[in-house]
Amino acid sequence: MAMKLMGISRLRELARRARDGLDGAVPALVAELEAGSWRSMADIAEFYPSAVIDGIKVRIPLNGGYRVDLLADCEAQMVLIEYAGATSGARATGKAGSKVT
């Protein structure tokens, strides 16, 4: 069962604003998130080793000083995009991917 992705409009807006700065990273991320079927946050940390994970909060860094913050519910197989934009925006903090809390 693939993850249900909500808040995709934030990713579309990021792709529009960043244009060439992300070189296709946003469509690739959307495809990965939609196809994902992670059973735990540890699975997400393994798939995105550079992600910062704190509970259900996940921050995925992208090229060009951008990031995506999301909430992941592995049991319900749902992902909510909370933020997609410049790295300097204030949102989730936590531990590096391999150190899931």
Side-chain angles (χ1 to χ4, degrees), residues 16-78:
R16 187 189 65 74
R17 282 190 321 246
R19 298 189 196 263
D20 296 335
L22 292 173
D23 291 330
V26 173
L29 180 61
V30 169
E32 290 172 354
L33 292 172
E34 287 178 331
S37 59
W38 303 289
R39 297 291 174 211
S40 69
M41 297 309 283
D43 287 348
I44 294 173
E46 186 176 324
F47 195 83
Y48 295 105
S50 63
V52 176
I53 298 176
D54 183 14
I56 66 168
K57 297 178 182 180
V58 180
R59 175 176 291 164
I60 301 172
L62 302 174
N63 294 335
Y66 296 100
R67 73 168 201 259
V68 174
D69 293 346
L70 54 92
L71 301 176
D73 184 336
C74 295
E75 187 174 320
Q77 290 291 287
M78 297 170 73

Side-chain angles (χ1 to χ4, degrees), residues 77-97:
Q77 290 291 287
M78 297 170 73
V79 171
L80 171 65
I81 306 301
E82 270 196 318
Y83 176 80
T87 300
S88 60
R91 295 278 188 214
T93 60
K95 307 282 189 265

